[in-house]
Amino acid sequence: MTSRLDGPLKVTGQARYGADYNLPGMAYGYIVVSTIAHGEIEAMDVTAARSTPGVIDVYSPFDPVDLRTPSTPMFGETWVPLQDKEIAYYGQPIGLVVAQTYEQARDAAMTVGVTYHERPALTSLWDGLSSAEDAPPGFDGSPSSMDILAPGVSSIEDALQASPVVVEATYSTATQNHAAMEPHSAVAVWDSGGLTVYSGNQGSNIQAMELAAALNTDLSSVHAVNPFVGGAFGGKARTSVAAFLAAAAARTLARPVKVVLSREQVFTATAGRAATVQKVALGATGNGSLIAIRHDAWSSTPVDRSFVEPASHSTREYYAAQNLAISQKMVPLNIPPTTFMRAPGEATGSFALESAVDELAVALNMDPIELRMRNDSTAPLGKDLLWSGKHLDECFRIGAARFGWADRTPHGRTDGDWLVGLGTATAMFPAIRFPASVRVTLRDDGTAEVATSGADPGTGLLTVLSLVGAESLDIPPAQVTPLLGDSALPPGGMSGGSTGTASAGSAIMIAAAQVIDQLLALASSPGAPFAGLEVSYAAGRVLADGRAMTFGELLRAVNRPSIFAVGSSSPGEELTKHSFSSFGAQFCEVRVHRWTREARVSRMLGVFDAGRIINADTARSQIIGGMIWGVSAALHEGLEIEANGRLANADLAGYLLPVNADISGVDVHFVEYPDTLHNTIGARGIGEIGTVGMAAAVANAICNATGIRVRHIPIMIEDLLP
Ligand code: MOS
């Protein structure tokens, strides 16, 4: 157990986030956003803004900044503002006012007059269902729709009709925003070496690529820095509008520019999570063996169709069944764009699927855990490759014992004025790795450094780098300095897809082995302390002939301040041999007040099979955050979109997030089976799985407590009226 290395800096205010950088001569930019949801800008009157004291310049589609649409292998094209006069949603960035102070820029921005040619806007997912389009393939390239049918079965409908017990229902989930604590922001400065941008993101090397492409400049002259990131969750994967505009304005004005989105702007000028509508049908035998699974999903999508939340996609991975049909549709809407958000697809999809499984358990009068175990899968449906390791049964067994599941009754219990229910759900998240390079340096003062570009948006990756580095070099973690969040470092360690530890960790092991080889070659080279001897390495020391020297002593003896190696690792052959996923069992206890109908989650437990856990402290923290997010999705979060596309609750007063009073008793447990079939360090990633299934577990517990099945989230008091 190792405390977060950057924790003291963060809690004492010494950690400097992007917008904490202040540079001599810096100007401040404030963005202007649209007040219609669909149409074209006819004119923008910036006369008043330009004559406001302190204003330096005003940019708009009529007076644009020098930017073009960047494209990267990771994300494809990323939208950049002010390139045309088209309005696709209410709150879209359409201008930037730059002034001597933040307040001057903000005041001037309020005076910008905009006239529009307005067109009808489609802002409701339900209204848009009839114009849904087929979604493109999922993130992993697999088709967005598929049918797998047993021999002799002609359609999924036939398989459902032939099933003795069938449940079928429609579920829906709300539009969400990541609402990271740190608003999207950037400080940009150009000098003779090029551009430096300080801006929170999920991979500084990727941010540098996007900025270089958008600014039409060499990648080598863009330096992206994000030593600290105040939460990201997918919402800082792509480069923000703040960073694009700050960089472009700083180039034009030849002075540093800072742009910080207001909290309200974060809700519209960045992308969030899609709303979904999902239809699930499950057919089973009378003893609970699944015969057919059908999952059709519709997700809201931006009008440029740049992202689709794949809500039905992961359903093929959960259970064994002879017949499966999944489909994914997208519904382009005039609302703020959608993007990756913690467990994109799995979070929303598991609400529908795992609610439906609970409904089936009720229909069968069967324990929901027993039903799940009866249909345990050994591989994704339609795929021959078995899971590299799966201990979901153990997660449920341990979880049930720890949580007191045996005390659950089919209709809950009462405790004074509270109706108390227990709920459970399965969690799954694919185990993924991305290519990563890490530099490991040994220094003559006896310390080592582990460095990769990446980011630690609160995940604990920085601490993990030091731990894996220490283990690979066989030295105490205190001797290892981890470096992250700078595009000048070797590319790797992106914080997305729950890949950071597995990707960077594998590369660290390779780099460490290489630098140790170098050290041994140095140690036995002519004139060196172990010249001509057979040398070995252990515990940070070079050994031969009964003598030992630490690597620091050795480097000093040969007069080398430091040596380093860059190790790289990528996913490869293992993908042809196994399927890889993490698994978990979510439990929660909900109390619904008999009279007020408020729902309170009183206890939660998540038990996870996620391979080797590198650092129990930060891992637990990641999972707790995810589980709380599941509660939040179930009971609090949801953007209310007015007919004209305006978000009615785009601030932290109206967009409900759980506070301490909403959360009590979160218990996390890992069953630890290192997955060395997936990667050499055996870790599978835990960033996202904590949230998967939890919203369903809450809804299932509410049903257990009250008998009321709510098929949409967030669940409101009015949904629970008797
Ligand atoms: Mo995150 S949704 O893994 O960027």
Side-chain angles (χ1 to χ4, degrees):
M1 303 266 261
T2 304
S3 295
R4 195 179 292 273
L5 295 180
D6 43 348
L9 290 176
K10 286 179 172 174
V11 299
T12 58
Q14 294 175 76
R16 290 216 290 169
Y17 294 79
D20 292 334
Y21 286 80
N22 291 305
L23 303 170
M26 189 169 75
Y28 296 79
Y30 193 91
I31 68 163
V32 180
V33 299
S34 70
T35 53
I36 65 164
H38 188 205
E40 192 178 339
I41 305 173
E42 274 177 359
M44 287 174 73
D45 182 357
V46 298
T47 324
R50 283 195 180 280
S51 57
T52 302
V55 167
I56 299 163
D57 212 341
V58 181
Y59 304 98
S60 73
F62 301 90
D63 192 359
V65 287
D66 182 13
L67 285 172
R68 53 201 61 61
T69 304
S71 184
T72 56
M74 199 61 88
F75 301 129
E77 290 191 344
T78 291
W79 184 80
V80 288
L82 318 192
Q83 298 311 293
D84 59 43
K85 302 177 184 74
E86 283 297 308
I87 300 296
Y89 53 93
Y90 197 114
Q92 174 183 318
I94 55 170
L96 179 77
V97 177
V98 182
Q100 304 289 355
T101 71
Y102 174 79
E103 290 76 12
Q104 289 168 335
R106 185 183 57 188
D107 286 358
M110 302 303 159
T111 69
V112 174
V114 187
T115 52
Y116 301 95
H117 175 70
E118 200 168 349
R119 291 194 288 268
L122 184 60
T123 59
S124 153
L125 177 56
W126 289 99
D127 292 348
L129 290 181
S130 55
S131 54
E133 303 168 12
D134 287 333
F139 306 137
D140 63 358
S142 61
S144 65
S145 297
M146 66 172 72
D147 278 39
I148 296 164
L149 298 172
V153 175
S154 59
S155 72
I156 195 72
E157 300 313 323
D158 285 353
L160 285 165
Q161 245 158 36
S163 301
V165 183
V166 176
V167 294
E168 184 166 11
T170 300
Y171 304 86
S172 62
T173 65
T175 307
Q176 298 177 338
N177 185 271
H178 306 77
M181 230 191 289
E182 178 203 24
H184 297 60
S185 57
V187 171
V189 57
W190 292 78
D191 60 21
S192 56
L195 168 69
T196 300
V197 171
Y198 304 91
S199 179
N201 64 76
Q202 293 174 235
S204 48
N205 55 311
I206 300 167
Q207 171 134 105
M209 283 168 71
E210 288 202 315
L211 285 168
L215 296 155
N216 197 24
T217 187
D218 276 352
L219 180 57
S220 61
S221 62
V222 176
H223 186 197
V225 184
N226 60 344
F228 297 98
V229 185
F233 315 111
K236 290 174 185 164
R238 287 171 160 154
T239 298
S240 68
V241 160
F244 284 131
L245 289 177
R251 178 163 65 181
T252 301
L253 297 173
R255 62 190 284 185
V257 173
K258 178 189 289 195
V259 176
V260 179
L261 300 190
S262 70
R263 177 54 65 183
E264 291 79 359
Q265 289 173 345
V266 168
F267 280 89
T268 69
T270 76
R273 194 194 296 281
T276 72
V277 171
Q278 306 177 55
K279 290 188 179 175
V280 180
L282 302 175
T285 64
N287 68 4
S289 293
L290 282 168
I291 295 171
I293 303 172
R294 197 193 68 213
H295 190 169
D296 301 306
W298 292 257
S299 300
S300 58
T301 208
V303 290
D304 68 3
R305 295 155 176 78
S306 54
F307 181 90
V308 182
E309 171 103 5
S312 59
H313 188 99
S314 62
T315 288
R316 67 182 293 204
E317 314 214 326
Y318 275 69
Y319 299 108
Q322 300 142 33
N323 304 284
L324 169 84
I326 57 177
S327 75
Q328 181 65 52
K329 298 269 204 274
M330 57 180 180
V331 180
L333 294 181
N334 298 111
I335 63 173
T338 63
T339 191
F340 311 93
M341 187 192 288
R342 205 173 201 170
E346 293 84 2
T348 45
S350 65
F351 168 67
L353 178 66
E354 291 298 288
S355 292
V357 169
D358 200 68
E359 298 206 47
L360 181 61
V362 172
L364 290 162
N365 196 21
M366 182 180 277
D367 180 274
I369 294 179
E370 194 189 331
L371 174 61
R372 287 179 170 86
M373 288 302 91
R374 187 155 297 189
N375 295 286
D376 204 8
S377 72
T378 53
L381 294 179
K383 214 172 156 190
D384 294 332
L385 303 176
L386 300 181
W387 302 117
S388 58
K390 180 177 184 181
H391 305 275
L392 181 62
D393 51 348
E394 189 177 335
C395 294
F396 272 112
R397 209 162 50 240
I398 290 175
R402 248 176 125 99
F403 205 64
W405 187 257
D407 298 335
R408 179 183 183 270
T409 72
H411 303 291
R413 66 183 173 89
T414 55
D415 177 10
D417 276 337
W418 294 91
L419 313 175
V420 186
L422 301 186
T424 189
T426 298
M428 288 185 67
F429 194 83
I432 311 168
R433 266 203 300 153
F434 291 137
S437 296
V438 178
R439 186 179 72 212
V440 173
T441 305
L442 301 179
R443 298 199 199 99
D444 69 356
D445 62 359
T447 65
E449 180 190 275
V450 174
T452 188
S453 58
D456 182 340
T459 58
L461 184 60
L462 190 76
T463 311
V464 161
L465 291 186
S466 79
L467 292 175
V468 178
E471 178 181 300
S472 306
L473 295 168
D474 198 9
I475 57 177
Q479 269 170 259
V480 181
T481 306
L483 286 184
L484 255 184
D486 189 319
S487 64
L489 301 172
M494 186 189 90
S495 281
S498 302
T499 62
T501 297
S503 308
S506 303
I508 292 171
M509 288 183 74
I510 291 166
Q514 288 174 358
V515 81
I516 289 169
D517 284 348
Q518 275 185 47
L519 178 75
L520 294 179
L522 262 184
S524 57
S525 60
F530 298 97
L533 294 176
E534 187 76 13
V535 285
S536 63
Y537 178 92
R541 303 188 308 168
V542 179
L543 314 163
D545 242 7
R547 282 189 297 136
M549 287 177 88
T550 66
F551 66 75
E553 290 166 345
L554 193 283
L555 290 174
R556 289 199 296 276
V558 298
N559 215 11
R560 291 282 295 268
S562 66
I563 57 174
F564 71 89
V566 177
S568 298
S569 94
S570 299
E573 256 217 306
E574 76 276 7
L575 299 176
T576 64
K577 295 180 177 158
H578 290 92
S579 297
F580 300 98
S581 182
S582 288
F583 305 89
Q586 305 273 28
F587 295 84
C588 79
E589 180 186 82
V590 177
R591 306 165 84 83
V592 177
H593 196 272
R594 184 192 301 278
W595 305 115
T596 69
R597 311 309 283 184
E598 65 186 298
R600 296 271 168 198
V601 173
S602 41
R603 288 193 296 136
M604 281 187 273
L605 165 66
V607 184
F608 296 91
D609 164 22
R612 182 179 161 207
I613 300 303
I614 304 292
N615 183 15
D617 270 3
T618 49
R620 180 172 173 277
S621 172
Q622 269 294 85
I623 293 286
I624 287 176
M627 290 169 69
I628 291 172
W629 204 331
V631 171
S632 183
L635 298 178
H636 306 104
E637 284 187 68
L639 282 164
E640 301 285 345
I641 302 164
E642 297 174 352
N644 69 354
R646 180 183 168 274
L647 303 182
N649 58 340
D651 57 48
L652 293 184
Y655 185 77
L656 298 186
L657 294 166
V659 297
N660 276 335
D662 294 304
I663 302 295
S664 54
V666 191
D667 187 14
V668 177
H669 184 76
F670 295 103
V671 298
E672 238 188 294
Y673 295 93
D675 191 348
T676 49
L677 295 171
H678 186 242
N679 63 75
T680 42
I681 67 165
R684 282 208 208 105
I686 45 170
E688 290 161 275
I689 191 171
T691 200
V692 182
M694 190 42 94
V698 172
N700 296 342
I702 285 177
C703 185
N704 182 241
T706 63
I708 300 172
R709 175 69 60 182
V710 184
R711 299 191 178 91
H712 60 256
I713 49 174
I715 296 168
M716 309 285 205
I717 283 177
E718 55 267 37
D719 297 319
L720 301 177
L721 298 177

